[in-house]
């Protein structure tokens, strides 16, 4: 077993190397070994200074997040790094932290306990704990304001975004940027400071003085606005504020108390579930590591519409040349103009440079023919959602594409096997379901057909990462994971309207639950006509005599497609702000009358339970059928594709927090009232609830 921390020497400079792959997390034994290494170096008369550095790709990615679950379950006592960091800070010899890759969370806290910090140019440092529903727990909220100033410390701790090396230097967190070899640069720096008094961060109070309390109020307002429903950002602001009012020791004790409250919160468990979930979904049991993958050097996209354009941008952003094919010049021009506008907006917002934009645009080749498609390593079809058209396109590209070319469809609902049947190479056909806007939304559903090859799946999952997407594997069924679950969710939102809730009540309830937008507002944004066309395509699947939502169809028959027509469930003003629409309300009453439904007052809890448990129940069916591999896959789909609040962990994680017995009882109540065609509990949900188990331990 490799040593977690090694102590070596470069003549008079001791080098403490942290070696805990993959990211040098502060797992049990690591902080202790760092301290003991510094202790023995401090006592060594030959040693004039100490350098601490990380082996591998990073300095320290923070505390070992795996340990938190053990602490909150009582399996392990809570550990604190505070005394170890004080000991490092009290080292009689200067300690230089040599940082590359990331110094995140506990990693930055270790770095700030050192006397100096030297950074490689591409380094990122940060306190991202709030993204895990936590706050710094090892004096980060006390040492960071002393180095970076209070305002920046509040921003970094409350919102969790990292800063780059140059900014860290400008802020005073870093003492030097080392170009070239970091270790030798750090050793040279250590020799420079060896005979100087080592500055202890905890004693550097000058940046705490005269802090304007208004900055805490402003930060709280911003947290309420942008981190709605999440206590951790507010706790982080409180902790940094304490640094301006209390002594260092009192501030650390105050931080530790707030940290403890966050650690044992459901929100933190949900966000940690999401953190590991994003890493777990990449692993597919029957696609072992080492499965051969195809190299993707050139791509081609069919369709320059909303989806096609966004997909092409993903490839260009990853540096992959991409052809975009359309059938008509005006459609092609419109598509390319949208791409250009999207990039120009990002340049205007300072996210990218004009040069970067020009490079991206140069990678995109718009055309009306299949020229060059025979060179593509992947072809992504993003045409109209109709089976006949997709099969025609697949038979055409099957005839042109080279044998090792992957043929992917961006269909959001259609049968991958039927699409593949239009080709001679079904093993190369796969679903790549992007989410609108495709250049922004992180989710990519990778859908396996019966014949899809393991190499094609492995390539798709790796490509997902390269396109900076969270790729989730899904089996082939109508709507795959996300849209299949969205069906019952939308159904219930509409039924609640028929039964008495207003559009505003339904949207508000789900908004208050934590979604960025209520369901009806989302459908108005996406365009009601999209779902309408799909429902027509699947009309033959409707079960006669089973109640179906009618309002959206009626609105579409009136040409009210949502925001794009200024009217849908709501009416929209010139700034696209939603307003109650009395005519829609009248239409809803008419639909209810026609269906013989007596409308009643409906409370928020019922709205939430019917919409969310509809997701949960369908999710449990998907799990039982093996369409979704794991519970967490469903959660990651909903967090990254449907705006489910991350701090609730996803529909399945949320169901576990409610308790599956309660969820089942509520669903059985709905079944009794609305019938089993709509609400028959998923067999898996019944089984787990009856066995007192959870989705989390169902694997
Ligand atoms: N603890 C445990 N495992 C970790 C980890 C961590 N901190 N960070 C990453 N891993 C695992 C990850 O699950 C994956 O495992 C592998 O490492 C590679 O990660 C006291 C309370 C550093 C930017 O929030 O943001 O410190 O899937 O796929 O894309 O105040 O990992 O291979 O089995 O993400 O190159 C604060 C979390 C903790 C940073 C690298 N720190 N990590 O990204 O690789 S709380 C964080 C990241 C804390 C203190 C507090 C990223 C990364 P597997 P990866 P990557």
């Amino acid at each position: 077993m490799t040593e977690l921390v090694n102590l070596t020497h470069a003549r008079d400079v001791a080098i403490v190397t942290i070696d805990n792959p993959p990211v040098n997390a502060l797992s049990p034994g690591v902080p202790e070994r760092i301290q003991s290494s510094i202790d023995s170096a401090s006592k060594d008369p030959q040693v004039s200074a100490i350098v601490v550095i990380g082996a591998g790709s990073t300095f320290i990615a923070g505390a070992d997040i795996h340990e938190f679950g053990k602490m909150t379950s009582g399996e392990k006592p809570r550990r604190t790094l505070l005394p170890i960091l004080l000991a490092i800070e009290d080292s009689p010899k200067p300690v230089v932290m040599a940082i590359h890759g990331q110094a995140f969370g506990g990693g930055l806290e270790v770095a700030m306990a050192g006397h100096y910090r030297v950074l490689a140019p591409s380094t990122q440092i940060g306190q991202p704990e709030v993204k895990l529903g936590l706050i710094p727990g090892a004096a980060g909220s006390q040492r960071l304001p002393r180095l970076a100033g209070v305002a920046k410390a509040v921003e970094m701790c409350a919102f969790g975004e990292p800063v780059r090396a140059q900014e860290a230097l400008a802020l005073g967190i870093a003492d030097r940027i080392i170009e070239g070899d970091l270790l030798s640069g750090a050793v040279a720096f250590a020799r420079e400071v060896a005979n100087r008094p080592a500055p202890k961060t905890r004693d550097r109070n000058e940046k705490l003085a005269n802090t304007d309390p208004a900055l805490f109020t402003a930060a709280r307002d911003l947290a309420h606005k942008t981190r709605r429903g999440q206590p951790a950002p507010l706790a982080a602001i409180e902790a940094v504020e304490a640094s301006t009012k209390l002594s260092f020791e009192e501030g650390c004790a105050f931080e530790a108390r707030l940290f403890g409250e966050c650690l044992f919160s459901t929100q933190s468990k949900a966000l940690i579930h999401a953190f590991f979930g994003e890493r777990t979904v990449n692993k597919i049991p029957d696609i072992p590591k080492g499965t051969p993958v195809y190299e993707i050097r050139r791509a081609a996209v069919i369709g320059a519409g909303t989806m096609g354009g966004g997909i092409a941008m993903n490839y260009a952003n990853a540096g992959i040349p991409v052809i975009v094919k359309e059938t008509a010049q005006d459609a092609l021009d419109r598509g390319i103009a949208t791409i250009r506008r999207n990039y120009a907006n990002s340049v205007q917002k300072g996210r990218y440079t004009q040069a970067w934009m020009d490079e991206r645009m140069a990678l995109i080749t718009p055309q009306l023919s299949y020229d060059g498609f025979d060179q593509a390593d992947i072809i992504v079809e993003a045409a109209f959602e109709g089976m006949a058209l997709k099969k025609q396109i697949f038979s055409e590209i099957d005839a042109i594409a080279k044998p090792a070319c992957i043929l992917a469809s961006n269909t959001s609902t259609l049968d991958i096997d039927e699409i593949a049947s239009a080709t001679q190479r079904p093993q190369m056909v796969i679903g790549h379901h992007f989410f609108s806007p495709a250049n922004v939304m992180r989710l990519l559903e990778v859908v396996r057909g019966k014949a899809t090859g393991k190499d094609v799946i492995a390539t798709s999952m790796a490509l997902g990462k390269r396109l900076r997407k969270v790729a989730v594997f899904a089996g082939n069924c109508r709507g795959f994971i996300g849209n299949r679950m969205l069906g019952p969710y939308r159904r219930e939102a509409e039924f609640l309207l028929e039964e008495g809730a207003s559009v505003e009540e339904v949207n508000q309830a789900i908004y208050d639950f934590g979604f960025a937008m209520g369901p009806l507002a989302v459908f108005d944004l996406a365009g009601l006509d999209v779902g309408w066309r799909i429902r027509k395509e699947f009309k033959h699947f409707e079960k006669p005599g089973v109640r179906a939502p009618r309002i959206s169809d009626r609105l579409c028959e009136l040409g009210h497609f949502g925001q794009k027509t200024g009217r849908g469930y709501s009416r929209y003003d010139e700034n696209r702000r939603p307003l109650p629409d009395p005519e829609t309300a009248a239409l809803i009453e008419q639909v209810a009358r026609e269906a013989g439904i007596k409308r009643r007052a409906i409370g928020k809890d019922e709205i939430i339970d019917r919409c969310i448990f509809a997701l949960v129940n369908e999710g449990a069916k998907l799990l039982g059928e093996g369409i979704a591999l794991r519970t967490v896959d469903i959660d990651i789909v909903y967090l990254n594709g449907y705006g489910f609040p991350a701090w609730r962990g996803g529909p399945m994680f949320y169901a576990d927090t409610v308790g599956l017995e309660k969820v089942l009882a509520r669903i059985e109540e709905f079944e009794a009232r609305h019938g089993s065609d709509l609400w028959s509990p998923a067999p898996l949900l019944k089984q787990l609830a009856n066995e007192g188990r959870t989705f989390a331990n169902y694997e």
Side-chain angles (χ1 to χ4, degrees):
M1 174 153 112
T2 57
E3 278 298 316
L4 295 172
V5 176
N6 299 304
L7 176 60
T8 56
H9 295 80
R11 297 210 326 275
D12 60 330
V13 174
I15 300 166
V16 177
T17 306
I18 304 155
D19 190 4
N20 182 26
V23 292
N24 292 335
L26 297 166
S27 313
V30 173
E32 294 79 4
R33 285 280 301 134
I34 296 174
Q35 183 193 348
S36 61
S37 305
I38 291 175
D39 271 357
S40 51
S42 301
K43 294 190 183 90
D44 180 342
Q46 306 303 316
V47 169
S48 64
I50 302 161
V51 167
V52 178
I53 193 164
S57 65
T58 195
F59 177 67
I60 301 173
D64 186 335
I65 304 170
H66 292 294
E67 293 296 305
F68 295 140
K70 298 171 190 163
M71 294 181 203
T72 52
S73 65
E75 188 189 329
K76 279 200 172 170
R78 218 178 104 192
R79 291 171 60 231
T80 173
L81 289 174
L82 289 174
I84 291 175
L85 301 189
L86 284 173
I88 293 172
E89 199 168 45
D90 289 339
S91 158
K93 308 220 169 120
V95 177
V96 177
M97 298 290 175
I99 306 169
H100 72 300
Q102 298 89 15
F104 282 173
L108 180 56
E109 289 168 312
V110 168
M112 294 191 290
H115 304 115
Y116 301 96
R117 285 147 293 281
V118 297
L119 275 51
S122 61
T123 301
Q124 289 190 309
I125 60 162
Q127 304 280 182
E129 287 90 343
V130 282
K131 297 183 179 176
L132 301 171
L134 300 170
I135 67 168
S141 67
Q142 305 305 304
R143 286 198 172 93
L144 187 58
R146 285 171 164 83
L147 290 179
V150 178
K152 192 66 189 180
V154 164
E155 183 197 311
M156 290 173 70
C157 293
F159 301 102
E161 294 311 316
V163 299
R164 295 185 175 281
Q166 281 305 337
E167 188 181 358
L169 184 69
L171 286 166
I173 303 171
D175 298 283
R176 186 172 295 170
I177 305 291
I178 306 278
E179 302 288 347
D181 182 57
L182 176 65
L183 181 56
S184 52
V187 168
F189 180 92
R191 289 205 176 100
E192 277 177 41
V193 299
N195 303 315
R196 293 188 212 154
K200 296 181 181 179
T201 306
R202 70 172 185 267
D203 298 335
R204 299 169 65 170
N205 300 325
E206 53 285 358
K207 288 187 179 179
L208 302 177
N210 310 322
T211 300
D212 176 1
L215 82 83
F216 301 115
T217 316
R220 287 192 178 95
D221 292 349
L222 185 62
H224 282 301
K225 210 160 132 230
T226 62
R227 303 291 187 281
R228 200 164 47 87
Q230 302 180 50
L234 299 169
I237 296 165
E238 227 184 314
V240 176
E241 186 174 18
S243 73
T244 64
K245 295 182 176 160
L246 306 174
S247 70
F248 178 79
E249 290 67 26
E250 291 164 338
C252 287
F254 184 74
E255 176 200 82
R257 183 169 64 71
L258 293 178
F259 175 80
E261 287 165 14
C262 290
L263 181 66
F264 285 86
S265 70
T266 305
Q267 288 208 8
S268 176
K269 294 188 182 91
L271 290 162
I272 290 173
H273 166 76
F275 174 83
F276 285 123
E278 275 194 26
R279 279 114 190 127
T280 303
V281 292
N282 212 22
K283 304 171 177 103
I284 304 172
D286 69 337
I287 311 281
K289 259 199 174 134
T291 300
V293 295
Y294 293 94
E295 207 185 341
I296 307 294
R297 288 161 303 214
R298 264 185 285 277
V301 175
I302 296 173
T306 314
M307 294 309 293
I311 294 168
M313 288 177 74
N314 289 320
Y315 279 91
N317 295 352
I320 303 171
V322 56
I323 299 169
V324 179
K325 175 186 179 299
E326 251 303 347
T327 50
Q329 192 60 49
D330 58 344
L332 188 60
D333 296 344
R334 258 199 320 275
I336 298 302
T338 304
I339 292 176
R340 194 178 293 285
R341 204 172 39 250
N342 287 340
Y343 279 131
N345 286 343
S346 300
V347 171
Q348 204 181 18
K349 290 186 187 133
R351 261 193 234 124
Y352 303 117
T353 62
Q354 186 59 44
W356 185 90
M357 168 179 168
D358 298 342
E359 278 166 31
R360 303 308 112 188
M361 289 305 296
L363 287 167
I364 299 172
T365 308
Q367 59 188 57
L368 298 175
S369 72
Y370 278 125
D371 293 355
F373 271 58
D374 57 344
Q375 299 303 310
D377 300 303
I378 183 166
I379 300 173
V380 184
E381 166 274 314
F384 207 63
E385 190 72 350
M387 184 56 86
L389 174 63
K390 289 188 190 291
K391 288 176 83 170
Q392 182 210 325
I393 291 171
F394 270 73
S395 66
E396 289 167 4
I397 55 179
D398 183 37
I400 301 166
K402 62 184 182 184
C405 178
I406 292 176
L407 307 182
S409 172
N410 179 55
T411 179
S412 58
T413 54
L414 298 175
D415 182 346
I416 297 294
D417 294 330
E418 191 175 344
I419 292 173
S421 69
T423 74
Q424 306 305 313
R425 56 171 100 187
Q427 77 285 2
M428 299 304 287
V429 176
I430 191 163
H432 281 190
H433 178 209
F434 290 83
F435 287 73
S436 180
N439 55 309
V440 177
M441 295 297 282
R442 295 180 68 221
L443 181 64
L444 171 65
E445 275 184 326
V446 172
V447 185
R448 174 188 216 156
K450 273 202 206 77
T452 307
K454 291 189 176 182
D455 48 2
V456 172
I457 296 169
T459 306
S460 299
M461 298 304 283
L463 180 62
K465 222 174 180 178
R466 200 167 152 205
L467 300 179
R468 295 185 169 283
K469 301 296 178 191
V470 180
V472 178
F473 179 80
N476 182 28
C477 71
R478 193 170 130 202
F480 319 130
I481 296 177
N483 282 346
R484 161 116 174 238
M485 291 166 67
L486 196 68
Y489 175 77
R490 186 188 78 85
R491 178 197 73 204
E492 288 307 308
E494 280 227 358
F495 282 172
L496 287 157
L497 295 179
E498 293 176 10
E499 293 166 36
S502 69
V503 170
E504 293 68 38
E505 284 169 335
V506 172
N507 280 335
Q508 190 64 41
I510 300 298
Y511 176 82
D512 293 347
F513 178 83
F515 278 79
M517 290 172 89
L520 307 167
V522 171
F523 300 136
D524 271 352
L525 176 68
L528 302 181
D529 52 327
V530 180
W532 193 35
R533 263 202 309 276
I534 293 172
R535 284 192 297 280
K536 284 189 204 165
E537 178 89 22
F538 286 104
K539 195 125 193 81
H540 54 289
F541 279 96
E542 267 189 28
K543 234 168 145 191
V546 174
R547 184 183 170 197
R550 290 281 169 251
I551 295 166
S552 173
D553 293 356
R554 301 284 286 268
L555 288 169
C556 289
E557 284 151 18
L558 294 169
H560 299 174
F561 298 152
Q563 282 199 18
K564 59 179 142 185
T565 57
R567 301 183 69 177
Y569 291 107
S570 301
R571 183 188 285 275
Y572 293 87
D573 68 14
E574 61 283 0
N575 301 318
R576 292 193 170 228
R577 261 198 308 270
L579 304 164
D581 187 336
E583 285 179 39
T584 300
L587 175 75
I588 292 170
E589 283 177 10
Q590 187 187 341
V591 168
R593 261 195 315 277
E594 290 165 6
I597 295 170
K598 193 166 172 342
R599 304 185 81 225
R600 58 188 170 90
I602 299 179
K604 197 162 129 175
D605 292 349
E606 180 178 347
I607 293 171
I608 290 172
D609 287 354
R610 280 176 64 179
C611 291
I612 305 298
F613 292 165
L615 286 176
V616 172
N617 199 36
E618 199 65 25
K621 290 178 183 168
L622 284 171
L623 268 175
E625 295 162 19
I627 298 291
L629 286 173
R630 294 156 291 231
T631 307
V632 73
D633 293 51
I634 295 175
D635 287 336
I636 295 301
V637 163
Y638 263 75
L639 296 189
N640 292 285
Y642 296 82
F644 198 100
W647 52 270
R648 294 219 186 246
M652 312 313 275
F653 183 93
Y654 169 70
D656 277 349
T657 62
V658 173
L660 296 190
E661 278 166 68
K662 274 212 198 108
V663 174
L664 177 62
R666 193 70 162 135
I667 288 177
E668 286 172 339
E669 202 187 305
F670 296 149
E671 183 187 24
R673 201 184 311 159
H674 301 286
S676 48
D677 283 322
L678 300 172
W679 277 104
S680 62
L684 177 65
L685 172 62
K686 265 187 166 164
Q687 178 204 337
L688 294 175
N690 296 338
E691 293 168 3
R693 292 173 57 201
T694 63
F695 283 128
N697 61 34
Y698 165 75
E699 286 312 342

